[in-house]
């Protein structure tokens, strides 16, 4: 029974699904340097940490250019433009097509919806964009419910008991070194019987239906809250 067969089929049980990504992380970094992760205690990881977390990194200034509208793109690797040059990413191409606009992206590979929102609230809104394009790829939905994906990450949770209507968990995010030690200190394969039993029970139709419905309801609420937080902030400035 492979790691993926033991865990990945139960994607609608975040605590089980997350084990798959933790073990992949362990396999990748057990015998190599871990310093290549651009660690950020708020977001887990980010790009251009030493500059402005934007692609391209030289733009823009906090102060908007007079008579120009600002468009900010947030999201995952599609928003960032992984595997293409600065002049091929769609934020750049969009800026070339529209007059009198500044377009830039704060997308980050591997981000879930909540993670993108946290980055926007902490950094993106400082640029006072007139329009925000929230680019969502379907896997971002699943990532939103996890506190570990490419690496350890924050969770944005709905919490109507506080004025903001949300809270963040797994924050500050543990360092890569601490997470590697934590995962390595456990013994996944000693627990394989547990994961096998849980994943098999989760496939029984009556349980599967209930588990998926519960998962979708909770995660949808997280996604709606995350998007509404961005929407409310932009609209509060007339955007």
């Amino acid at each position: 029974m492979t790691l993926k067969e033991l865990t990945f089929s139960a994607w609608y049980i975040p605590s089980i699904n997350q084990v798959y990504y933790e073990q992949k992380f362990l396999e990748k970094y057990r015998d190599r340097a871990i310093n290549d992760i651009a660690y950020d205690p708020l977001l887990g990881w980010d790009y251009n940490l030493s500059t402005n977390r934007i692609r391209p990194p030289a733009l823009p200034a906090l102060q908007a250019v007079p008579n120009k509208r600002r468009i900010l793109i947030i999201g995952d690797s599609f928003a960032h433009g992984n595997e293409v040059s600065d002049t091929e990413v769609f934020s750049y191409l969009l800026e070339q097509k529209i007059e009198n606009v500044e377009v830039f992206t704060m997308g980050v590979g591997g981000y879930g919806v909540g993670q993108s929102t946290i980055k926007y609230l902490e950094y993106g809104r400082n640029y006072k964009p007139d329009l925000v394009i929230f680019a969502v790829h379907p896997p971002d939905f699943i990532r939103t419910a996890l506190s570990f994906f490419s690496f350890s990450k924050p969770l944005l949770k709905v919490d109507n008991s506080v004025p903001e209507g949300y809270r963040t968990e797994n924050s500050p995010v543990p360092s890569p070194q601490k997470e590697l030690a934590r995962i390595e200190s456990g013994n996944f394969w000693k627990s394989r019987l547990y994961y096998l039993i849980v994943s098999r029970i989760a496939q029984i139709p009556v349980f599967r239906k209930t588990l998926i419905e519960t998962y979708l309801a909770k995660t949808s609420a997280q996604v709606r809250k995350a998007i509404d937080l961005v929407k409310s902030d932009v609209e509060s400035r007339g955007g």
Side-chain angles (χ1 to χ4, degrees), residues 16 30-31 54 67 74 99 112 127 135 139 166 176 208 212 217 230:
I16 300 296
R30 180 188 278 121
D31 300 314
I54 287 168
N67 302 317
I74 59 175
E99 293 183 357
Y127 291 93
Y166 76 97
R208 188 173 190 274
I212 289 178
V230 176

Side-chain angles (χ1 to χ4, degrees), residues 114-196:
Q115 216 172 352
S116 297
T117 293
I118 293 169
K119 179 171 180 177
Y120 171 80
L121 294 175
E122 183 69 20
Y123 301 107
R125 65 178 170 186
N126 295 334
Y127 291 93
K128 299 179 175 59
D130 299 291
L131 172 68
V132 172
I133 298 174
F134 205 142
V136 179
H137 180 54
D140 301 352
F141 186 95
I142 292 177
R143 296 170 190 169
T144 298
L146 302 175
S147 61
F148 199 106
F149 181 63
S150 299
F151 173 59
S152 194
K153 59 185 280 296
L155 270 178
L156 190 151
K157 289 287 191 74
V158 178
D159 187 349
N160 294 320
S161 68
V162 296
E164 298 85 359
Y166 76 97
R167 57 186 166 82
T168 56
E169 294 183 356
N170 200 37
S171 181
V173 177
S175 70
Q177 291 78 10
K178 285 184 177 179
E179 286 295 76
L180 185 63
R182 174 185 66 82
I183 298 166
E184 202 165 22
S185 66
N187 193 321
F188 168 79
W189 295 109
K190 281 187 177 179
S191 303
R192 62 188 182 277
L193 181 60
Y194 166 74
Y195 296 120
L196 177 61

Side-chain angles (χ1 to χ4, degrees), residues 14 18 31-32 34 38 87 100 116 167 174 179 194 219 235:
Q18 183 167 302
D31 300 314
R32 58 175 282 195
I34 201 170
T87 57
N100 299 318
S116 297
R167 57 186 166 82
E179 286 295 76
Y194 166 74
T219 308
E235 290 180 344

